[in-house]
């Protein structure tokens, strides 16, 4: 990729996260809103962080070996794998920046039997990872896809590490029986780190990446996919390809689709990128592609309602507790997301507070961002913190004393929590973040096999069409375990690149 042909956009990590956040009215952005936003790409957002570079639209060719629709983590992983296989891929992204929902990931990537786990003396196995995920998905996961995810997770960690994207800080996530979620070395949010690293490699390998490139249709002839129709600028073009990989993400920001499949979630705030509008699902359905689990929409328990900003599971994974307005714990904080969300919703006030101390804030670097955004209440003592959030001070102090004793005893008598009990909460100042559940992940999507080929309702494949990431369904069943979204996009994104390349060579 020649520098002269690049458009440059400087975007800081915080700005990236905010740029794709949904509004405070509790409704998600619809497709037209996303398209309107995507067309206003010339705005530069500067905050002194990493630089994103994109290929100039004038360099778009009529033919590529592989056309990849969507520049999130799965799309970039597919492109890099295709390039490794000797292909000439292109990435088309409808939004004005690359990254998609991957940018908003603040937790990490689940993987088992990794070299980093072994180095740190963490005992884990692929079978244990499989069992935890199957349990979290209530036994409804597509087990073939799940086995592929688990069995290839460690090699994905190695693949990333080989590109200078090192995830060696390992912690707990909800639903995991051991430390399994892999994060950047300093414990910071995985999303911006991952996107920065993938983009760096995309540039180094001179893979063209076009933004504001809105794919309208996947083209086919004689039963085989032949490329796409894309609107870029004011012009609609036909781009031919020997294979097409769809990595457009889910539909968490399409309120019509949310209400269609889950009317009970009408009005919920969403944490997803505003580009997550289900475009890929709809285009694949128009070709006869099957969908699965479309009503399985994950609600994340810890979302700031005013902004739709997700508070990472890492905060609980490092030892934070949840309390109600009365200052009492009410549930196991590290249970699966659906169960924790239900427990919060069942409270009289339908919200809760995350409570943690300064030592935890030092371990979970995401807290710095939450402070910058003004959602963290801080006080020197627990009693002072209680006063600031209109909570009974004696009750909150007693709750913390009980919790700290539970950590010391390594036994949570009240709610049976068994993980993330390595640190007590005794180091002032103390912090609180008010949260409630919000839409976070659409677990349903198009049906694929372990080769990431898109399937029709009769089980046959659509020749030349592949899909990976949140656009697909079946892997997570009825509940996604925290840390499995990044695993999904990396493992299946790589596989899509490999398999599409094999097909394109025929």
């Amino acid at each position: 990729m020649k520098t002269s042909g690049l458009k440059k956009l400087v975007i800081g990590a915080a700005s990236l996260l905010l740029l794709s956040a949904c509004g405070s009215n509790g409704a998600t952005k619809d497709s037209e809103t996303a398209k309107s936003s995507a067309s206003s790409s010339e705005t530069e957002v500067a905050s002194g962080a990493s630089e994103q570079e994109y290929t100039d639209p004038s360099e778009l060719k009529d033919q590529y070996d592989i056309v990849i629709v969507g520049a999130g983590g799965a799309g970039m992983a597919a492109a890099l794998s295709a390039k490794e296989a000797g292909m000439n891929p292109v990435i088309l992204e409808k939004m004005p920046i690359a990254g998609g929902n991957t940018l908003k990931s603040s937790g990490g990537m689940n993987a088992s039997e990794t070299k980093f786990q072994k180095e740190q003396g963490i005992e884990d196995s692929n079978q244990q990872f499989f069992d935890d995920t199957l349990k979290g998905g209530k036994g409804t996961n597509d087990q073939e896809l799940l086995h592929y995810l688990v069995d290839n997770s460690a090699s994905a960690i190695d693949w990333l590490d080989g590109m200078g994207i090192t995830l060696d800080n390992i912690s707990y996530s909800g639903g995991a029986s051991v430390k399994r979620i892999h994060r950047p070395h300093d414990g910071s949010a995985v999303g911006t780190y991952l996107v920065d690293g993938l983009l760096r490699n995309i540039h180094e390998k001179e893979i063209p990446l076009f933004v504001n490139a809105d794919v309208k249709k996947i083209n086919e002839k004689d039963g085989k996919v032949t490329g796409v129709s894309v609107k870029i600028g004011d012009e609609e073009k036909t781009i031919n390809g020997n294979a097409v990989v769809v990595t457009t993400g889910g539909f968490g920001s399409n309120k019509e689709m949310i209400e269609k499949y889950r009317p009970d979630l009408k009005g919920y705030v969403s944490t997803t990128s505003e580009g997550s509008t289900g475009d890929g699902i709809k285009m694949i359905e128009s070709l006869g592609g099957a969908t699965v689990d479309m009503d399985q929409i994950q609600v994340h328990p810890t979302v700031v309602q005013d902004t739709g900003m997700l508070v990472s599971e890492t905060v609980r994974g490092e030892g934070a507790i949840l309390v109600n307005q009365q200052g009492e714990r009410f549930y196991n904080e590290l249970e699966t997301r659906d169960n924790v969300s239900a427990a919060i919703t069942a409270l009289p006030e339908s919200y809760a507070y995350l409570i943690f101390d300064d030592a935890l804030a030092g371990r979970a670097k995401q807290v710095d961002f939450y402070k910058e955004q003004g959602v963290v209440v801080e006080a020197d003592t627990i009693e002072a913190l209680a006063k600031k959030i209109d909570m009974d001070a004696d009750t909150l102090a007693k709750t913390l004393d009980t919790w700290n004793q539970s950590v010391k005893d390594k036994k949570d008598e009240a709610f049976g929590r068994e993980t993330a009990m390595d640190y007590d909460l005794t180091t002032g100042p103390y912090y609180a973040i008010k949260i409630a559940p919000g839409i976070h992940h659409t677990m349903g999507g198009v049906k694929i096999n372990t080769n990431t080929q898109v399937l029709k309702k009769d089980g046959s494949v659509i020749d030349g069409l592949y899909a990976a990431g949140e656009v697909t369904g079946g892997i997570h069943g009825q509940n996604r375990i925290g840390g499995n979204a990044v695993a999904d996009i990396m493992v299946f994104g790589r596989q899509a690149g490999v398999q599409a390349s094999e097909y394109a060579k025929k």
Side-chain angles (χ1 to χ4, degrees), residues 434-468:
K434 186 178 180 180
I435 53 82
I439 293 168
H440 181 52
H441 192 95
T442 50
M443 294 166 293
V446 300
K447 190 170 180 59
I448 61 169
N449 59 23
T450 55
N451 288 328
T452 68
Q453 294 168 296
V454 175
L455 304 180
K456 297 180 181 179
K457 292 179 181 179
D458 63 4
S460 63
V461 304
I462 299 177
D463 285 340
L465 185 59
Y466 301 81

mmCIF file of all heavy atoms in Angstrom, residues 434-468:
data_model
loop_
_atom_site.group_PDB
_atom_site.id
_atom_site.type_symbol
_atom_site.label_atom_id
_atom_site.label_comp_id
_atom_site.label_asym_id
_atom_site.label_seq_id
_atom_site.Cartn_x
_atom_site.Cartn_y
_atom_site.Cartn_z
ATOM 1 N N LYS A 434 -22.641 3.423 38.382
ATOM 2 C CA LYS A 434 -24.037 3.010 38.290
ATOM 3 C C LYS A 434 -24.282 2.345 36.938
ATOM 4 O O LYS A 434 -23.956 2.905 35.888
ATOM 5 C CB LYS A 434 -24.954 4.229 38.442
ATOM 6 C CG LYS A 434 -26.439 3.889 38.494
ATOM 7 C CD LYS A 434 -27.262 5.158 38.686
ATOM 8 C CE LYS A 434 -28.754 4.870 38.749
ATOM 9 N NZ LYS A 434 -29.549 6.111 38.946
ATOM 10 N N ILE A 435 -24.841 1.141 36.969
ATOM 11 C CA ILE A 435 -25.033 0.372 35.731
ATOM 12 C C ILE A 435 -26.404 -0.318 35.706
ATOM 13 O O ILE A 435 -27.066 -0.441 36.735
ATOM 14 C CB ILE A 435 -23.920 -0.683 35.554
ATOM 15 C CG1 ILE A 435 -23.789 -1.573 36.806
ATOM 16 C CG2 ILE A 435 -22.596 -0.018 35.212
ATOM 17 C CD1 ILE A 435 -24.744 -2.708 36.929
ATOM 18 N N ALA A 436 -26.776 -0.747 34.516
ATOM 19 C CA ALA A 436 -27.957 -1.583 34.305
ATOM 20 C C ALA A 436 -27.731 -2.328 32.993
ATOM 21 O O ALA A 436 -26.836 -1.984 32.217
ATOM 22 C CB ALA A 436 -29.232 -0.739 34.254
ATOM 23 N N PRO A 437 -28.515 -3.351 32.705
ATOM 24 C CA PRO A 437 -28.295 -4.127 31.476
ATOM 25 C C PRO A 437 -28.551 -3.346 30.193
ATOM 26 O O PRO A 437 -29.344 -2.404 30.161
ATOM 27 C CB PRO A 437 -29.299 -5.282 31.624
ATOM 28 C CG PRO A 437 -29.521 -5.414 33.092
ATOM 29 C CD PRO A 437 -29.491 -4.000 33.600
ATOM 30 N N GLY A 438 -27.858 -3.753 29.126
ATOM 31 C CA GLY A 438 -28.048 -3.177 27.800
ATOM 32 C C GLY A 438 -27.750 -4.216 26.740
ATOM 33 O O GLY A 438 -27.017 -5.178 26.982
ATOM 34 N N ILE A 439 -28.302 -4.038 25.538
ATOM 35 C CA ILE A 439 -28.047 -4.956 24.423
ATOM 36 C C ILE A 439 -26.566 -4.921 24.074
ATOM 37 O O ILE A 439 -25.976 -3.856 23.930
ATOM 38 C CB ILE A 439 -28.897 -4.560 23.204
ATOM 39 C CG1 ILE A 439 -30.381 -4.787 23.495
ATOM 40 C CG2 ILE A 439 -28.467 -5.334 21.954
ATOM 41 C CD1 ILE A 439 -31.305 -4.164 22.471
ATOM 42 N N HIS A 440 -25.981 -6.113 23.934
ATOM 43 C CA HIS A 440 -24.534 -6.164 23.741
ATOM 44 C C HIS A 440 -24.087 -7.025 22.565
ATOM 45 O O HIS A 440 -23.100 -6.708 21.915
ATOM 46 C CB HIS A 440 -23.875 -6.675 25.024
ATOM 47 C CG HIS A 440 -22.384 -6.750 24.959
ATOM 48 N ND1 HIS A 440 -21.612 -5.682 24.563
ATOM 49 C CD2 HIS A 440 -21.515 -7.764 25.225
ATOM 50 C CE1 HIS A 440 -20.329 -6.033 24.604
ATOM 51 N NE2 HIS A 440 -20.251 -7.292 24.976
ATOM 52 N N HIS A 441 -24.780 -8.112 22.294
ATOM 53 C CA HIS A 441 -24.293 -9.035 21.269
ATOM 54 C C HIS A 441 -25.469 -9.803 20.693
ATOM 55 O O HIS A 441 -26.318 -10.292 21.440
ATOM 56 C CB HIS A 441 -23.290 -10.018 21.883
ATOM 57 C CG HIS A 441 -22.518 -10.829 20.884
ATOM 58 N ND1 HIS A 441 -21.273 -10.465 20.442
ATOM 59 C CD2 HIS A 441 -22.804 -11.997 20.264
ATOM 60 C CE1 HIS A 441 -20.829 -11.374 19.570
ATOM 61 N NE2 HIS A 441 -21.742 -12.320 19.454
ATOM 62 N N THR A 442 -25.527 -9.904 19.370
ATOM 63 C CA THR A 442 -26.563 -10.721 18.749
ATOM 64 C C THR A 442 -25.949 -12.068 18.411
ATOM 65 O O THR A 442 -25.084 -12.170 17.546
ATOM 66 C CB THR A 442 -27.130 -10.034 17.495
ATOM 67 O OG1 THR A 442 -26.062 -9.611 16.636
ATOM 68 C CG2 THR A 442 -27.940 -8.818 17.892
ATOM 69 N N MET A 443 -26.378 -13.092 19.117
ATOM 70 C CA MET A 443 -25.748 -14.408 18.980
ATOM 71 C C MET A 443 -26.270 -15.182 17.789
ATOM 72 O O MET A 443 -25.676 -16.164 17.366
ATOM 73 C CB MET A 443 -25.931 -15.192 20.278
ATOM 74 C CG MET A 443 -25.164 -14.549 21.425
ATOM 75 S SD MET A 443 -25.627 -15.149 23.049
ATOM 76 C CE MET A 443 -27.284 -14.546 23.230
ATOM 77 N N GLY A 444 -27.401 -14.739 17.232
ATOM 78 C CA GLY A 444 -27.925 -15.357 16.027
ATOM 79 C C GLY A 444 -27.354 -14.722 14.786
ATOM 80 O O GLY A 444 -26.832 -13.601 14.810
ATOM 81 N N GLY A 445 -27.440 -15.449 13.687
ATOM 82 C CA GLY A 445 -26.933 -14.929 12.424
ATOM 83 C C GLY A 445 -26.986 -16.002 11.360
ATOM 84 O O GLY A 445 -27.735 -16.976 11.478
ATOM 85 N N VAL A 446 -26.171 -15.844 10.334
ATOM 86 C CA VAL A 446 -26.199 -16.802 9.229
ATOM 87 C C VAL A 446 -25.552 -18.114 9.661
ATOM 88 O O VAL A 446 -24.664 -18.146 10.517
ATOM 89 C CB VAL A 446 -25.505 -16.244 7.968
ATOM 90 C CG1 VAL A 446 -26.205 -14.983 7.509
ATOM 91 C CG2 VAL A 446 -24.027 -15.979 8.217
ATOM 92 N N LYS A 447 -26.013 -19.186 9.058
ATOM 93 C CA LYS A 447 -25.525 -20.516 9.423
ATOM 94 C C LYS A 447 -24.285 -20.854 8.586
ATOM 95 O O LYS A 447 -24.284 -20.707 7.365
ATOM 96 C CB LYS A 447 -26.605 -21.565 9.191
ATOM 97 C CG LYS A 447 -26.277 -22.941 9.762
ATOM 98 C CD LYS A 447 -27.485 -23.861 9.714
ATOM 99 C CE LYS A 447 -27.173 -25.247 10.278
ATOM 100 N NZ LYS A 447 -26.720 -25.180 11.680
ATOM 101 N N ILE A 448 -23.232 -21.287 9.275
ATOM 102 C CA ILE A 448 -21.990 -21.683 8.605
ATOM 103 C C ILE A 448 -21.568 -23.055 9.093
ATOM 104 O O ILE A 448 -22.064 -23.553 10.109
ATOM 105 C CB ILE A 448 -20.843 -20.678 8.867
ATOM 106 C CG1 ILE A 448 -20.528 -20.585 10.378
ATOM 107 C CG2 ILE A 448 -21.151 -19.304 8.275
ATOM 108 C CD1 ILE A 448 -19.240 -19.830 10.714
ATOM 109 N N ASN A 449 -20.608 -23.669 8.377
ATOM 110 C CA ASN A 449 -19.958 -24.880 8.869
ATOM 111 C C ASN A 449 -18.561 -24.534 9.360
ATOM 112 O O ASN A 449 -18.182 -23.353 9.385
ATOM 113 C CB ASN A 449 -19.935 -25.963 7.779
ATOM 114 C CG ASN A 449 -19.202 -25.506 6.504
ATOM 115 O OD1 ASN A 449 -18.369 -24.602 6.534
ATOM 116 N ND2 ASN A 449 -19.534 -26.133 5.382
ATOM 117 N N THR A 450 -17.787 -25.521 9.759
ATOM 118 C CA THR A 450 -16.463 -25.238 10.325
ATOM 119 C C THR A 450 -15.485 -24.703 9.292
ATOM 120 O O THR A 450 -14.414 -24.202 9.650
ATOM 121 C CB THR A 450 -15.870 -26.486 11.001
ATOM 122 O OG1 THR A 450 -15.838 -27.566 10.065
ATOM 123 C CG2 THR A 450 -16.692 -26.884 12.214
ATOM 124 N N ASN A 451 -15.832 -24.788 8.017
ATOM 125 C CA ASN A 451 -15.020 -24.172 6.974
ATOM 126 C C ASN A 451 -15.468 -22.746 6.682
ATOM 127 O O ASN A 451 -14.990 -22.131 5.730
ATOM 128 C CB ASN A 451 -15.078 -25.002 5.683
ATOM 129 C CG ASN A 451 -14.316 -26.308 5.802
ATOM 130 O OD1 ASN A 451 -13.315 -26.386 6.506
ATOM 131 N ND2 ASN A 451 -14.788 -27.337 5.119
ATOM 132 N N THR A 452 -16.403 -22.244 7.476
ATOM 133 C CA THR A 452 -17.001 -20.904 7.376
ATOM 134 C C THR A 452 -17.791 -20.718 6.083
ATOM 135 O O THR A 452 -18.111 -19.584 5.704
ATOM 136 C CB THR A 452 -15.971 -19.755 7.530
ATOM 137 O OG1 THR A 452 -15.077 -19.735 6.410
ATOM 138 C CG2 THR A 452 -15.193 -19.881 8.832
ATOM 139 N N GLN A 453 -18.129 -21.797 5.402
ATOM 140 C CA GLN A 453 -18.995 -21.707 4.228
ATOM 141 C C GLN A 453 -20.417 -21.391 4.679
ATOM 142 O O GLN A 453 -20.924 -21.978 5.636
ATOM 143 C CB GLN A 453 -18.985 -23.022 3.456
ATOM 144 C CG GLN A 453 -17.652 -23.363 2.819
ATOM 145 C CD GLN A 453 -17.632 -24.801 2.316
ATOM 146 O OE1 GLN A 453 -17.733 -25.749 3.093
ATOM 147 N NE2 GLN A 453 -17.505 -24.961 1.001
ATOM 148 N N VAL A 454 -21.081 -20.478 3.976
ATOM 149 C CA VAL A 454 -22.467 -20.137 4.294
ATOM 150 C C VAL A 454 -23.378 -21.243 3.772
ATOM 151 O O VAL A 454 -23.241 -21.700 2.633
ATOM 152 C CB VAL A 454 -22.845 -18.783 3.680
ATOM 153 C CG1 VAL A 454 -24.330 -18.489 3.900
ATOM 154 C CG2 VAL A 454 -21.992 -17.669 4.290
ATOM 155 N N LEU A 455 -24.316 -21.655 4.628
ATOM 156 C CA LEU A 455 -25.202 -22.768 4.298
ATOM 157 C C LEU A 455 -26.608 -22.290 3.960
ATOM 158 O O LEU A 455 -27.093 -21.307 4.513
ATOM 159 C CB LEU A 455 -25.273 -23.743 5.479
ATOM 160 C CG LEU A 455 -23.951 -24.306 5.995
ATOM 161 C CD1 LEU A 455 -24.201 -25.242 7.167
ATOM 162 C CD2 LEU A 455 -23.196 -25.034 4.875
ATOM 163 N N LYS A 456 -27.247 -23.039 3.074
ATOM 164 C CA LYS A 456 -28.657 -22.826 2.780
ATOM 165 C C LYS A 456 -29.491 -23.635 3.776
ATOM 166 O O LYS A 456 -28.968 -24.418 4.568
ATOM 167 C CB LYS A 456 -28.973 -23.264 1.353
ATOM 168 C CG LYS A 456 -28.248 -22.469 0.283
ATOM 169 C CD LYS A 456 -28.621 -22.974 -1.099
ATOM 170 C CE LYS A 456 -27.894 -22.204 -2.189
ATOM 171 N NZ LYS A 456 -28.245 -22.715 -3.550
ATOM 172 N N LYS A 457 -30.797 -23.481 3.709
ATOM 173 C CA LYS A 457 -31.679 -24.176 4.642
ATOM 174 C C LYS A 457 -31.591 -25.684 4.504
ATOM 175 O O LYS A 457 -31.806 -26.423 5.467
ATOM 176 C CB LYS A 457 -33.122 -23.703 4.450
ATOM 177 C CG LYS A 457 -33.333 -22.249 4.880
ATOM 178 C CD LYS A 457 -34.770 -21.796 4.653
ATOM 179 C CE LYS A 457 -34.938 -20.331 5.061
ATOM 180 N NZ LYS A 457 -36.324 -19.845 4.822
ATOM 181 N N ASP A 458 -31.267 -26.169 3.297
ATOM 182 C CA ASP A 458 -31.164 -27.615 3.095
ATOM 183 C C ASP A 458 -29.786 -28.162 3.453
ATOM 184 O O ASP A 458 -29.509 -29.349 3.275
ATOM 185 C CB ASP A 458 -31.516 -27.985 1.649
ATOM 186 C CG ASP A 458 -30.541 -27.379 0.634
ATOM 187 O OD1 ASP A 458 -29.557 -26.737 1.035
ATOM 188 O OD2 ASP A 458 -30.787 -27.559 -0.583
ATOM 189 N N GLY A 459 -28.906 -27.285 3.971
ATOM 190 C CA GLY A 459 -27.577 -27.717 4.384
ATOM 191 C C GLY A 459 -26.515 -27.625 3.317
ATOM 192 O O GLY A 459 -25.329 -27.821 3.598
ATOM 193 N N SER A 460 -26.910 -27.339 2.082
ATOM 194 C CA SER A 460 -25.927 -27.171 1.012
ATOM 195 C C SER A 460 -25.234 -25.821 1.149
ATOM 196 O O SER A 460 -25.748 -24.903 1.793
ATOM 197 C CB SER A 460 -26.601 -27.283 -0.353
ATOM 198 O OG SER A 460 -27.552 -26.239 -0.533
ATOM 199 N N VAL A 461 -24.046 -25.698 0.535
ATOM 200 C CA VAL A 461 -23.274 -24.462 0.659
ATOM 201 C C VAL A 461 -23.582 -23.519 -0.503
ATOM 202 O O VAL A 461 -23.989 -23.959 -1.586
ATOM 203 C CB VAL A 461 -21.752 -24.749 0.703
ATOM 204 C CG1 VAL A 461 -21.431 -25.706 1.826
ATOM 205 C CG2 VAL A 461 -21.246 -25.274 -0.635
ATOM 206 N N ILE A 462 -23.396 -22.252 -0.255
ATOM 207 C CA ILE A 462 -23.438 -21.251 -1.327
ATOM 208 C C ILE A 462 -22.009 -21.112 -1.825
ATOM 209 O O ILE A 462 -21.137 -20.602 -1.105
ATOM 210 C CB ILE A 462 -23.990 -19.907 -0.827
ATOM 211 C CG1 ILE A 462 -25.421 -20.073 -0.304
ATOM 212 C CG2 ILE A 462 -23.942 -18.865 -1.943
ATOM 213 C CD1 ILE A 462 -26.033 -18.809 0.273
ATOM 214 N N ASP A 463 -21.743 -21.591 -3.015
ATOM 215 C CA ASP A 463 -20.377 -21.636 -3.528
ATOM 216 C C ASP A 463 -19.729 -20.247 -3.550
ATOM 217 O O ASP A 463 -20.298 -19.295 -4.089
ATOM 218 C CB ASP A 463 -20.355 -22.213 -4.943
ATOM 219 C CG ASP A 463 -20.557 -23.723 -4.959
ATOM 220 O OD1 ASP A 463 -20.336 -24.350 -3.902
ATOM 221 O OD2 ASP A 463 -20.930 -24.268 -6.015
ATOM 222 N N GLY A 464 -18.551 -20.186 -2.952
ATOM 223 C CA GLY A 464 -17.768 -18.951 -2.980
ATOM 224 C C GLY A 464 -18.114 -17.949 -1.907
ATOM 225 O O GLY A 464 -17.528 -16.857 -1.872
ATOM 226 N N LEU A 465 -19.043 -18.303 -0.989
ATOM 227 C CA LEU A 465 -19.462 -17.349 0.037
ATOM 228 C C LEU A 465 -19.085 -17.861 1.427
ATOM 229 O O LEU A 465 -19.436 -18.984 1.808
ATOM 230 C CB LEU A 465 -20.963 -17.123 -0.036
ATOM 231 C CG LEU A 465 -21.551 -16.060 0.901
ATOM 232 C CD1 LEU A 465 -20.918 -14.694 0.658
ATOM 233 C CD2 LEU A 465 -23.065 -15.976 0.751
ATOM 234 N N TYR A 466 -18.398 -17.024 2.176
ATOM 235 C CA TYR A 466 -17.912 -17.370 3.511
ATOM 236 C C TYR A 466 -18.326 -16.267 4.486
ATOM 237 O O TYR A 466 -18.558 -15.116 4.091
ATOM 238 C CB TYR A 466 -16.384 -17.531 3.495
ATOM 239 C CG TYR A 466 -15.941 -18.611 2.532
ATOM 240 C CD1 TYR A 466 -15.829 -18.350 1.165
ATOM 241 C CD2 TYR A 466 -15.674 -19.900 2.980
ATOM 242 C CE1 TYR A 466 -15.456 -19.348 0.266
ATOM 243 C CE2 TYR A 466 -15.289 -20.900 2.093
ATOM 244 C CZ TYR A 466 -15.191 -20.618 0.744
ATOM 245 O OH TYR A 466 -14.840 -21.614 -0.129
ATOM 246 N N ALA A 467 -18.406 -16.610 5.754
ATOM 247 C CA ALA A 467 -18.790 -15.617 6.765
ATOM 248 C C ALA A 467 -18.117 -15.947 8.087
ATOM 249 O O ALA A 467 -17.858 -17.128 8.400
ATOM 250 C CB ALA A 467 -20.303 -15.576 6.943
ATOM 251 N N ALA A 468 -17.845 -14.915 8.871
ATOM 252 C CA ALA A 468 -17.194 -15.111 10.170
ATOM 253 C C ALA A 468 -17.535 -13.963 11.094
ATOM 254 O O ALA A 468 -17.800 -12.842 10.655
ATOM 255 C CB ALA A 468 -15.673 -15.208 9.991
#
